Structure formats: structure tokens, C-alpha cells
Amino acid sequence: MIARELLSRVKLKKTLQYALYLFLALLTQNMLLTQLRVAGVCPMILPAVAVAVGMFEGASWGAVLSLVLGIFADMAFVENTILFTLLFPMLAFASGFISTYFINRRFFAFMGAALLGLLVTALTQMLHTVAVDSFAVVMFRTVALQTLLSLPFAVLAYLPPARWIS
């Protein structure tokens, strides 16, 4: 059923547009945002993109598209193996589910969902680091700093591309 729906002309066009959107988000993350470091922390736009895709495409399609985003994000980040592959579909599914039943798809609701997605991503990265290394209280400062630095870039995930495609 999903393959048949994917092959329809409208869905194929929308899937290609989302592929371009996700590719541009990966380029932005890897080429631009990695250069903006404050206290050794760089902002992330990819969790906000996963939240946007989930909000505008629904829980199931958002999770599928975010799975692809997570696979390519894990290939781009050296320190991760499958962290983003597991995390981004969960963020997209949760935001899609919540936007279907509980919140609207407006800017303020998106920014709240993106804030939660960015915070969950930073905390998950911290727990991944704790599993490999030892725990330090300074890690919470890094989590807060990464979340606050990433929040202004979440606006880029919402405004033009995701709303136009959906």
C-alpha cells in the first residue's frame, strides 16, 4: 500500500521535493552550522527539520522521511553510529501525532515542538557520551547551550520549505 501510494505522481513529486529539502538541511548542517561554534558547541538544525516534516506530513510519512534524514546524518557525523537513525523518526512521529490530535501547525506550536526536539536530541547525545565516557555536571551546560544556539535556526526549518511542500 505504501509503495503504491509512493508511486502516484503527486506523492512522487512531493517525495522528491522533500528529498531536496532534506539534502539542503544536511548541507546547511554540515557546511555552515559546524563553523558556528560557541564554547565548543555548534547549533543543530536537523532535529527541527525532523519535527517540521513530522508536523506537516503526519506521523507515518514524517517518520519515514526522517529515517532517511537520520541515516544520512549518522553518515555525516563521525561520532554517531545509529543515534540519529533512531532518534529522528521518533521525533517526527511524536510531532506528527501531537500535531494531528493536540496542537495546531502554526509557528508558535512548531517552535515549542522544535524546542522539545532539540532538547531531547541534546540530552540523547549527552547520554550517548556518558555511556562512552564518564559523567560530568558540565554536560548539562553543553545541553542547554546547544539547545539555545539551535533554536533560532529552527525558524529556517519551518518557514519556507516545509510549509510550501506540504
Side-chain angles (χ1 to χ4, degrees):
M1 169 112 181
I2 291 177
R4 187 174 178 189
E5 186 179 327
L6 179 66
L7 292 178
S8 73
R9 182 172 279 196
V10 173
K11 270 296 191 190
L12 185 61
K13 181 181 175 188
K14 190 183 266 192
T15 303
L16 291 174
Q17 288 173 336
Y18 269 113
L20 179 65
Y21 171 55
L22 297 178
F23 177 71
L24 291 175
L26 277 166
L27 275 179
T28 302
Q29 178 67 50
N30 292 331
M31 302 296 261
L32 298 175
L33 295 182
T34 55
Q35 306 303 316
L36 301 174
R37 291 193 181 266
V38 175
V41 177
C42 67
M44 288 194 70
I45 194 171
L46 298 180
V49 168
V51 167
V53 170
M55 282 185 86
F56 291 117
E57 281 305 309
S60 59
W61 274 107
V64 169
L65 292 169
S66 293
L67 176 68
V68 173
L69 177 66
I71 290 169
F72 283 104
D74 279 331
M75 286 193 286
F77 286 86
V78 179
E79 66 273 0
N80 295 331
T81 52
I82 62 165
L83 179 70
F84 293 143
T85 303
L86 297 175
L87 184 63
F88 289 167
M90 289 182 205
L91 290 176
F93 184 83
S95 67
F97 180 80
I98 290 170
S99 70
T100 300
Y101 295 109
F102 299 111
I103 62 174
N104 58 21
R105 291 177 174 94
R106 303 238 184 238
F107 180 72
F108 184 71
F110 167 76
M111 289 304 287
L115 174 66
L116 284 175
L118 291 167
L119 188 61
V120 165
T121 301
L123 285 170
T124 306
Q125 287 176 313
M126 181 190 78
L127 291 176
H128 178 70
T129 305
V130 167
V132 173
D133 228 358
S134 62
F135 177 75
V137 179
V138 127
M139 290 181 174
F140 286 111
R141 184 182 141 263
T142 305
V143 166
L145 187 59
Q146 179 178 329
T147 303
L148 291 176
L149 284 176
S150 301
L151 200 54
F153 295 101
V155 175
L156 297 174
Y158 177 80
L159 288 177
R163 289 191 57 94
W164 288 343
I165 295 171
S166 70

